[in-house]
């Protein structure tokens, strides 16, 4: 069922929109709120489009794109902001828990396999 990249959520500074994949509507409201805040603050700070995507093995990736010749997009600021998110202990835990959720409920990975990867 889920063999390619699956978008969790994203924000677009050009259209001023936030998107949450309907497949994840059953996440707790506080998690959905955290994701929305993370995405919107990111695009407000540096511009472009931020998308949180699960890859084939269930890892959560932060993908950034910008329109060509966008003078407002801050490429260096973008990279720094991604590092800041990845190094924030609270955000690290949120992203790790989302990966576990995806692996268990979407990829139907057995607990033993997840344990062998050292994720619990």
């Amino acid at each position: 069922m889920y063999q390619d990249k699956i978008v969790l959520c994203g924000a677009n500074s050009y259209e001023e929109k936030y998107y949450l994949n309907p497949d994840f509507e059953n996440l707790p409201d506080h998690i959905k709120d955290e994701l929305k805040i993370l995405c919107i603050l990111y695009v407000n700070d540096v511009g472009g489009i931020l998308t949180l995507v699960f890859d084939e093995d269930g890892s959560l990736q932060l993908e950034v794109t910008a329109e060509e010749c966008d003078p407002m997009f801050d490429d260096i600021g973008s990279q720094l902001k991604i590092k800041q998110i990845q190094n924030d202990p609270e955000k690290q835990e949120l992203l790790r828990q989302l990966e576990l959720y995806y692996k268990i409920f979407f990829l139907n990975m057995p607990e033993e396999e997840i344990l062998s990867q050292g994720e619990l």
Side-chain angles (χ1 to χ4, degrees):
M1 181 174 173
Y2 294 97
Q3 296 178 357
D4 294 323
K5 291 183 177 184
I6 301 297
V7 173
L8 168 62
C9 61
N12 183 326
S13 67
Y14 307 113
E15 298 178 12
E16 296 182 355
K17 291 188 178 182
Y18 171 77
Y19 169 79
L20 176 67
N21 184 334
D23 289 346
F24 296 94
E25 273 299 321
N26 60 346
L27 285 171
D29 287 339
H30 72 280
I31 300 294
K32 292 189 284 189
D33 292 343
E34 283 292 317
L35 290 169
K36 186 174 187 177
I37 290 167
L38 182 145
C39 291
I40 291 174
L41 286 177
Y42 174 90
V43 298
N44 281 338
D45 286 349
V46 297
I49 301 167
L50 174 66
T51 311
L52 278 65
V53 179
F54 291 104
D55 63 18
E56 299 82 25
D57 69 353
S59 296
L60 189 56
Q61 308 295 321
L62 284 75
E63 295 183 350
V64 179
T65 55
E67 290 182 356
E68 222 174 285
C69 302
D70 177 359
M72 301 304 288
F73 180 71
D74 182 0
D75 189 41
I76 294 170
S78 171
Q79 294 172 24
L80 292 172
K81 190 76 170 173
I82 294 292
K83 292 281 187 210
Q84 180 185 17
I85 292 168
Q86 292 172 333
N87 292 328
D88 181 312
E90 290 179 16
K91 300 290 188 268
Q92 283 178 344
E93 183 63 17
L94 172 66
L95 300 176
R96 188 181 76 78
Q97 292 296 328
L98 286 165
E99 286 180 349
L100 288 173
Y101 174 85
Y102 182 77
K103 289 176 181 180
I104 291 168
F105 293 104
F106 287 79
L107 297 181
N108 297 315
M109 287 177 68
E111 185 177 332
E112 300 79 33
E113 187 175 341
I114 295 170
L115 286 171
S116 71
Q117 295 175 355
E119 303 224 15
L120 289 178

